[in-house]
Amino acid sequence: MNKLKALQPVPLKNVRVSDAFWSDYIELIRNTVIPYQWEALNDRIPDAEPSHAVKNFRIAAGLEEGEFKGFVFQDSDIAKWLEAVGYTLEVHPDPQLEALADGIIEVIEKAQQPDGYLDTYFILKEPGKRWTNLGECHELYCAGHMMEAAVAYYKATGKKKLLDVMCRFADYIDSVFGTEPGKIQGYDGHQEVELALVKLYHATGNERYLKLGRYFIQERGREPNFFITEWKETRKELSHWTKAKCPEPDLKYFLAHKPVYEQEVAIGHAVRAVYMYSGMADIARETGDEELFKACKRLWNNIVTRQMYITGGIGSTHHGEAFSFDYDLPNDTVYAESCASIGLIFFAHRMLQMDPDGTYADIMERTLYNTVLGSMSRDGKHFFYVNPLDVWPEASEKNPGRQHVKPVRQKWFGCACCPPNIARLLASLGQYVYSSDEDTVYTHLYIGGTADMEISGGKLRLIQENNYPWEGNVKIKIETPVEKSFKLALRIPGWCRKWTVFINGTETAQEGRLVNGYLTLDRCWKTGDEVELCMELSIELLQANPKVRADAGRVAIQRGPLVYCLEEEDNGSNLSALSIASNPDFKCAYDKDLMDGAVTIHTTGIRTVDDCWGDELYRPALKQEESVELKAVPYFMWGNRTQGEMLVWIRQH
Amino acid sequence: MNKLKALQPVPLKNVRVSDAFWSDYIELIRNTVIPYQWEALNDRIPDAEPSHAVKNFRIAAGLEEGEFKGFVFQDSDIAKWLEAVGYTLEVHPDPQLEALADGIIEVIEKAQQPDGYLDTYFILKEPGKRWTNLGECHELYCAGHMMEAAVAYYKATGKKKLLDVMCRFADYIDSVFGTEPGKIQGYDGHQEVELALVKLYHATGNERYLKLGRYFIQERGREPNFFITEWKETRKELSHWTKAKCPEPDLKYFLAHKPVYEQEVAIGHAVRAVYMYSGMADIARETGDEELFKACKRLWNNIVTRQMYITGGIGSTHHGEAFSFDYDLPNDTVYAESCASIGLIFFAHRMLQMDPDGTYADIMERTLYNTVLGSMSRDGKHFFYVNPLDVWPEASEKNPGRQHVKPVRQKWFGCACCPPNIARLLASLGQYVYSSDEDTVYTHLYIGGTADMEISGGKLRLIQENNYPWEGNVKIKIETPVEKSFKLALRIPGWCRKWTVFINGTETAQEGRLVNGYLTLDRCWKTGDEVELCMELSIELLQANPKVRADAGRVAIQRGPLVYCLEEEDNGSNLSALSIASNPDFKCAYDKDLMDGAVTIHTTGIRTVDDCWGDELYRPALKQEESVELKAVPYFMWGNRTQGEMLVWIRQH
């Protein structure tokens, strides 16, 4: 098949992150998050919802007695954990961790059925019912995650056991699904296997997996609709969840309401959507499918220009964990699931390779530094599923429409998709930093460390140093065995209004050509060359498109890639009583005691006085205000101190 | 039993409403709403959800074949319709309508079981299961509504058939419930029978009904909790709704979480709450129970100082159609059920008699002129169940968290509690206008017409004329066979900042004594005396207590008792882009074509310009605004023209 021209990300194993900001997080993943999640998967976290995921595999493998427990998609938590382990081992060998992973992989292999099938729910709880409820039961979703784990673990360790297991499963899946007579002409309710099959194809070179992935993408939403037929004929209108009759499936929720080529706007379950779009982008790239690429671009544009929170959160409603519609971005009843933002990064990263436009990297950065980073506590042991922009703890407790918004990160979840997803993303962060093609290196993210790649037919090492996101200066040193000509394309972030570039200490902006958000420095480079990009990190007030009703009359504070928020801890209770001027005088301060140290933002604002109010609920309007000092902290840090109110969009006076 | 000292409302039959504003509505109820609802109850409205209510009774009476259909509380719709018919006949004899009512009463009588039991769901669908699920199945609720109907119909027509039916049922209920051995020590999930039994006691003089009502009030919420025992032991944890096992009942939803004497804040299902509080007020009054009155007052204060929308709507969440918590009054995800506001008027009216304070009448007026009136279309054939303060039709359609908010009034509802409730309230409006005790007449509402009463041992007629709520002048003429001394207590509404009173043309404010919102004119009156109260109807901007997060930085426009709103029809789409000054110059206009003619309010505001926005979702804040003319219309009229956005709380700039 013809491929679309695309950049290649500089792979994880070639990027050693060494960064004042990120190294700690990556170590946290290795030293705390992965061990903690292993405990969680083994049901050993006191007072947390048990996972049962390891146990299910051990029972299916015949190593323990018992019955399946947990959600139908419980296997996927093990898979995402293993994938995170793979990424971690790829950059940091750890024999003990590898032994732990080998152990569970052995269990997984034992659980696999003779024909290749592998899903502990159906093996243990409903044998004989395989593939009878693809709409609801996540079999291919779980398979997809385990394929991703297998590929990551194989790339990290060279060990093929899990890869072989998943190839056997993929071969079996390929024998079951397709348009040929006798096959199930269907696909999974939860997209994931599509992108996973492309990874499996890359790892094995077996085109069968690519074709199967393409089949799942192309078949989706065609008439007669598979989910309707399955609901009516195969599962006799019964629901997996209630075991009772249920209404016809909502095809939009599954993004199966029309063929993917015809989908115009992001709709339905947000995680399914971005996993699907990522798979579509993969298939478009690998098969040269321009129409599919166009659909990806259309859906991307819809998300980022109509349906994305300023924090990179997506999914405006907890009903169906879904997109709602253009410009509907309520801050208090928001969903913005961590997994959805992670999936948005996957999608952005894939689009960026085919279409080197800084917007993709801007969104990747926005999402990473705000929603994704904020979804985990600094201790690596507490997580948000929902990432709100307006928190009133009493409302979360007492108004059922806001109960999905938790004011504190949770230890674990019965449906624990988010924590291991965060782990696998951060463990693989290195691969998001650079891409290259024959003669150009792209820097997408400003994360310090060393990266090795091939360029213009020879080796190249880039050494990046910065104190990002707190400071805007980035140094990149070149190491090359021989002098060579190539282009260094530096992303100039969308938030950056003013920047200068120095090469070996000389301002050389004029040498560059800024196209689509990348400043391309085209010259002959030698070892010792040093590029310095100085981006002015000014504090900006941002406003939302006036069509976003929820943000009318409000502004958000941003500095560089970081969105800021007000917390009750710094600003007292009732943040809605605060407002900010149109052109406030901002001051930055460095607070070394705020988590690992952070730049905080200070200005004078106004607070509506309420001590002159008695018991009246309404009275003639009278502005009674006082001047107050406002302190804003980076959004990703919210909720790491005391439980309290939090607000991103501040009223403007 | 000792009674609490209380005013007596001047009864409906003595008040002939003749009012430029209200007469049309009362005629609408008689000429349109009652006939229309009869058609609805007979399933004859095309494209509307069928009621099946009449059919259920006919089947139970043995007059038709078939099976019970509709909700378990479907009987109550017939009851409320009959009650509305009773009130209508009380002030306007109509033999044809009376014949229609007699007809269905005959059917009801035939449906009654030999032991007095009457509930078509259990008679037809689950015989033998009576009283086994009081938590969910509304048997006593339906009984209560039919008792209210029986009393209203008896008072209007003198016909005792339905009253006898309901006395037989009440006697039977009394034999089933109570603390004596062998009786069910329980009460209904949906409060209603308590206040109805007090009405039955008044109509019959039989204290047994009063005692039974008191039992239901006093027993509620005691330990061991009846609903828990019933759920566990009687219904074996099965739900009426799903026929499957269900979790332990949420006692707060039922207001059975603690004895009513100890309840501190309004909580749970808002309609149940205000029906219960009304019953509590009745029992307090009739039995001299000061503690119970104190509980009523505490709960009243909580509602009106913490949990009531400016429109008189109550119930902040559609989850459980319930109160949420103090100061939580979201405008977009609001519930504010029509029935809850009607119940709030019932509660206010009862409190007012025991505690003649204008606040009760203020709230009664606010609720009546805004939420209740707004819940019915001008044609009398379309109704709101939910009464929002911020409507974005696209969000109602596409964001599931706002789907309960309908941007247009509906023809009917499967759960049709609201339409007949509106009918019975407006049909009985006369009884809310005046109260009296031995020597004082209170005017609570400014509704024109003639009222006859006894005062200071003799007859008195008051003739009220006004053009309220459009104008603030009210004339009250006195007719009395002999000159007599008594006090005329005029309510000076809470919204009124400036007023003067003339007696026979002479300004005589100094004669009056303003106490608790009533100006008392104490003198010797003779026929021909004329009092004129001139209230200045200024336009006011109101603000909410700063603790109401949802209204921060916003104001609402009010003129007299009417809250105003912006509609898309007058102000273009995206009302959130509009803002209003702190001290705007208002102009009133009379728009004779707006429904029956209305005072509209005009001022200059600011609109955020959005034509300079392209596809960006966020960008540096820049005030780009234009001056626009704002037009506000009375809230109760919203949605009577085209479907569109509506907004009560407007941003202030």
Side-chain angles (χ1 to χ4, degrees), chain A residues 476-526:
Chain A
I476 295 173
K477 289 183 197 161
I478 312 287
E479 289 186 11
T480 170
V482 291
E483 278 192 23
K484 66 164 79 75
S485 288
F486 65 90
K487 298 176 202 148
L488 179 62
L490 302 172
R491 181 173 69 95
I492 307 298
W495 54 258
C496 182
R497 312 283 158 220
K498 216 169 145 185
W499 49 271
T500 44
V501 173
F502 300 85
I503 298 179
N504 299 327
T506 308
E507 189 175 336
T508 46
Q510 68 280 9
E511 279 191 25
R513 213 166 46 94
L514 181 64
V515 179
N516 291 334
Y518 286 88
L519 177 77
T520 306
L521 305 174
D522 185 0
R523 54 181 277 159
C524 185
W525 302 89
K526 62 178 191 306

Side-chain angles (χ1 to χ4, degrees), chain B residues 286-305:
Chain B
E286 296 302 326
T287 67
D289 187 338
E290 297 275 1
E291 281 306 306
L292 196 54
F293 175 75
K294 271 188 212 159
C296 289
K297 187 132 188 182
R298 196 164 61 225
L299 292 161
W300 168 267
N301 284 338
N302 176 258
I303 293 175
V304 304
T305 70

Side-chain angles (χ1 to χ4, degrees), chain B residues 436-543:
Chain B
S436 64
D437 59 13
E438 311 79 44
D439 64 349
T440 311
V441 190
Y442 291 83
T443 66
H444 304 307
L445 296 179
Y446 292 113
I447 295 179
T450 305
D452 292 309
M453 63 207 83
E454 296 271 320
I455 192 91
S456 301
K459 285 186 189 306
L460 171 69
R461 169 171 288 182
L462 298 185
I463 303 162
Q464 188 184 150
E465 284 172 23
N466 64 51
N467 190 25
Y468 202 80
W470 308 122
E471 295 176 17
N473 287 14
V474 172
K475 269 189 205 163
I476 294 172
K477 289 182 195 158
I478 312 285
E479 287 185 11
T480 169
V482 291
E483 278 192 24
K484 66 165 79 77
S485 289
F486 64 90
K487 298 176 199 146
L488 180 64
L490 301 172
R491 181 172 71 96
I492 307 298
W495 53 258
C496 183
R497 311 282 158 222
K498 216 170 148 186
W499 49 271
T500 44
V501 174
F502 300 86
I503 299 178
N504 300 325
T506 308
E507 188 174 338
T508 46
Q510 66 283 5
E511 279 190 26
R513 215 167 46 94
L514 181 63
V515 179
N516 290 336
Y518 287 87
L519 177 77
T520 306
L521 304 173
D522 184 1
R523 53 181 278 158
C524 184
W525 302 89
K526 61 177 194 304
T527 290
D529 280 348
E530 188 175 288
V531 176
E532 188 166 10
L533 169 63
C534 301
M535 297 174 278
E536 194 177 292
L537 276 184
S538 57
I539 300 167
E540 277 200 318
L541 283 186
L542 296 185
Q543 64 190 172

Side-chain angles (χ1 to χ4, degrees), chain A residues 308 399 541 549 618 621 645, chain B residues 308 328 541 549 618 621 645:
Chain A
M308 185 188 71
N399 185 321
L541 283 186
R549 269 78 167 162
Y618 306 105
E645 295 177 50
Chain B
M308 186 188 70
D328 182 42
L541 283 186
R549 269 79 168 163
Y618 307 105
E645 293 177 51

Side-chain angles (χ1 to χ4, degrees), chain B residues 259-274:
Chain B
V260 301
Y261 291 88
E262 297 166 24
Q263 296 191 17
E264 301 277 344
V265 294
I267 205 168
H269 188 266
V271 177
R272 296 172 201 236
V274 284

Side-chain angles (χ1 to χ4, degrees), chain A residues 8 58-59 92 115 134 174 249 505 543 560-561 585 598-599 603 611 628:
Chain A
Q8 291 300 324
R58 291 185 55 82
I59 298 167
H92 188 102
D115 59 2
L134 287 150
D174 190 41
Q543 65 188 171
D585 240 348
V599 173
T603 189
D611 52 13
V628 290

